[in-house]
């Protein structure tokens, strides 16, 4: 069965509306780094991203923390779904260096950046590599 990357990515490309952060937009790329790294084991206990954000950014009010976590969860979910468009059409656990796959990867990055312009390209590339690794190993 041949997979149609163009058909699926066009759906995401049509969702070109930016979704701004609920607050603290200037910190969002850094907050996403903390969030995507997930739980951290410290002294035999797991520390959750929300706790790590509290420690790193004590100036963020408690009332904003859950809104930020929800937003970051949605960001990661959306970008992973977009990355799946590419991972389903390749059969290796990485983005091949071939020009066609590199162009497809650029389209994936562009979709994520349109929706979340605060993201860094490296963050999207890391998500893409992770999705390809997990779905094609």
């Amino acid at each position: 069965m041949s997979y149609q990357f163009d058909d699926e990515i066009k759906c995401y490309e049509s969702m070109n509306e930016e979704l701004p952060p609920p607050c603290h937009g200037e910190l969002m790329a850094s907050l996403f780094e903390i969030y995507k790294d997930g739980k951290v084991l410290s002294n035999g206990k797991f520390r959750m991203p929300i706790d790590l954000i509290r420690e790193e950014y004590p100036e963020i009010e408690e009332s904003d923390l859950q809104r930020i976590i929800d937003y970051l969860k949605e960001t990661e979910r959306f970008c992973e779904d977009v990355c799946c468009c590419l991972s389903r059409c390749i059969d290796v656990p990485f983005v091949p260096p071939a020009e066609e796959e590199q162009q497809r990867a650029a389209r994936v990055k562009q979709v994520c950046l349109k929706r979340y312009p605060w993201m860094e390209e490296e963050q999207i590339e890391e998500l893409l590599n992770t999705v390809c690794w997990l779905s094609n190993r």
Side-chain angles (χ1 to χ4, degrees), residues 6-97:
D6 286 331
D7 291 342
E8 190 168 343
I9 196 73
K10 282 179 186 174
C11 177
Y12 288 106
E13 287 170 335
S14 70
M15 298 178 192
N16 59 4
E17 183 179 320
E18 179 183 337
L19 287 181
C23 54
H24 300 284
E26 72 284 357
L27 300 175
M28 210 48 60
S30 298
L31 296 172
F32 187 69
E33 280 300 310
I34 296 169
Y35 175 80
K36 74 177 180 54
D37 288 342
K39 301 176 209 170
V40 173
L41 186 60
S42 175
N43 295 326
K45 290 186 171 188
F46 280 109
R47 298 178 59 228
M48 303 302 285
I50 195 166
D51 299 317
L52 298 170
I53 290 172
R54 270 189 198 107
E55 287 178 20
E56 186 74 25
Y57 296 98
E59 69 274 13
I60 296 177
E61 294 180 28
E62 201 64 31
S63 60
D64 291 338
L65 278 174
Q66 192 57 53
R67 292 176 31 210
I68 290 169
I69 292 294
D70 291 344
Y71 176 78
L72 294 174
K73 185 184 297 185
E74 170 56 32
T75 300
E76 184 177 53
R77 186 178 305 127
F78 177 84
C79 291
E80 285 175 348
D81 288 349
V82 175
C83 290
C84 282
C85 295
L86 179 57
S87 74
R88 283 192 286 268
C89 71
I90 59 175
D91 57 358
V92 292
F94 55 88
V95 179

Side-chain angles (χ1 to χ4, degrees), residues 108-120:
V108 166
K109 287 184 231 174
Q110 198 57 28
V111 167
C112 294
L113 286 171
K114 274 187 177 180
R115 192 155 180 119
Y116 306 105
W118 53 264
M119 287 186 85
E120 297 172 359

